[in-house]
Amino acid sequence: MSEALFNHQTVDLRKSTIRDLNTVLQSEDVTGSWEVRHPDGRHSIAVGLTAPIDVTIEGQVGYYACGMNQRANLTIKGNAGPGVAENMMSGSVHVEGNASMAAGATGHGGLLVIDGDAGARCGISMKGIDIVVRGSVGHMSGFMAQSGALVVCGDAGEALGDSLYEAKIFVRGEVKSLGADCEEKTMTEEDLDILRNILEKSGITEYDATTFRRYGSGRRLYNFHVDNASAY
Amino acid sequence: MSESKNMPPRTVPRFSATFDPFTISEIQRSAATGIYDIRGAGTKRKLPHFDDLLFLGASISRYPLEGYRERCDTDVVLGTRFAKKPIHLKTPVTIAGMSFGALSAQAKEALGRGASAVGTSTTTGDGGMTPEERGHSSILVYQYLPSRYGMNPDDLRRADAIEVVVGQGAKPGGGGMLLGQKISPRVAKMRDLPEGIDQRSACRHPDWTGPDDLEIKIEELREITNWEKPIYVKVGASRPYYDVSLAVKAGADVIVLDGMQGGTAATQEVFIEHVGLPILSAIRSAVQALQDLDMHRKVQLIVSGGIRGGADMAKALALGADAVAIGTAALIALGDQNPDLAAEYAKLGTVPGAYDDWQEGRDPAGITTQDPELAARLDPILGGRRIANYLSVMTMEAQAIARACGKSHLHNLEPEDMVSLTLEAAAMTRIPLAGTEWYPGKTGF
């Protein structure tokens, strides 16, 4: 990475490689705000970041953009491919367009906000991340989700929350069907507080928390029993 | 006696080969419980195995090396294809992936101590990396599994290599299990799960499907770890030619091929016994795939599943593997199946040599348990010494065979050093049947 490029804190992916980009963004002394130009749908953009920097990606990204993020705050000004912000630990990722399948998969922390729709398996195996989708999510979203919250302002596809553990799912629109062991729960004051907090930090003011419904685990599949065999 | 004299002769009780006593007991157990049997370990059925091969040794046309004077090297370098920092093992036998959760912390520490003492690697498992195993393993391979339990980028960077687990030999196509008895508070916290539940691991990765996605996933892992770490891809033996080819295409540095004799912490008996291939039948196809792609010895091949000693290791290497991995054998070396524990095994309804209810967490040897009192029975320092001893013996045994074949390095062993004892082994390995130059599929006899 050239000194000039470093000082401008702008990386043009038509002139630099993904390796160049990630090397500088992952460096120990990186600071400030960064702009990534011409991402052109490339994969593994801005992955494995550890510093509390701001990164704006000007366009569409491919697979695993912002994967395994720690502490950085990233904005994607376009659509995202599969596995955006996968296994995020902390920080935030904001997708201004739509996201493909497995958005926020296995995330352990941080906040993922998707302004558009998210594809299938949004929040699959999530482990503490909060995911907010302004639009709708595809089938099997929240599959085996362990903890954290999945907030869907639009509709949810088939088999929402299949084999859910302790993650909380909030949906404002229609749910096509619930997956195995996922059931609607009574929205408690504690749930409303959690939801309001997530909506607020996501910058969503147009929806009131009380207009959402909450879904969680029925906990009937937590231990093997023959009577539950038909659930699988 | 007078009664028996008056009775006509009767047939002695005859057991059915089809409905043998074990089968009958399984039907009865299923009817009583309504749940399939879940157990640990690998297949117990008789399968074609390394015992069906023999080395020829030296003769007039081949001359041997002096056993105690001439060198026979054993080292292997893994990850030479793309990784900036390949790993160098002093002996081509590694410890296979076994999780903290399935095993006690003491057992993981002992495996690390033993492997480190002889200059080889250990491997994490489902559930993440513990500080103990990182601390006691000089070379640690970090498994990247579908569940992603405990997965974090810091541990990826702390690892010496990364193993993307697609499947394992005991259950190709199946996910993991860890029953509630073993979900201790620490295990639950590491996996972000409620205590005491029957944990199910996914069978597919959550964010990729198929070889094209795998290629992108591997690139992401390399980007996150600065292209330093060797990336392994582990597959259960099922379609080895195609799986190896696709793993190479996806960019693997190392391929781990696990046969159905490989163990598991907990899986359905029907899965263990009826899905997958014996490792003997898979190695030659895997090597052929590497050779067809001009990647043999460039992408390293590790084979596992039923490796018991130096002879098995030497045969696997002669078939074209670069290294082997052991799991069940390592647990036995640690103290699993110890005859001194016969009375305690009896309380569990079993005997030394047959104990396989590893999923229950009541292992009297303190290995496959999370019970603090049972786990404390295993001294990790002594256990580490036993592992080191065993690995050393394996290496020396393989060297003895290699020297007898005139080889100055274990990797110089080759198929031509061996013969098959059975038609099945000859067909699977394309090693000629003993006394002939023929194997099934080869014209002429």
Side-chain angles (χ1 to χ4, degrees), chain B residues 112-128:
Chain B
R113 287 177 178 275
S116 299
V118 300
T120 191
S121 61
T122 59
T123 312
T124 66
D126 217 350

Side-chain angles (χ1 to χ4, degrees), chain A residues 19 63-64 86 146-147 222, chain B residues 191-192 198 213 220 226:
Chain A
R19 186 82 285 267
Y63 281 55
Y64 311 131
E86 65 87 17
Q146 296 175 223
S147 61
Y222 274 10
Chain B
R191 301 183 186 215
D192 188 33
D198 292 335
D213 285 4
E220 183 205 14
N226 194 30

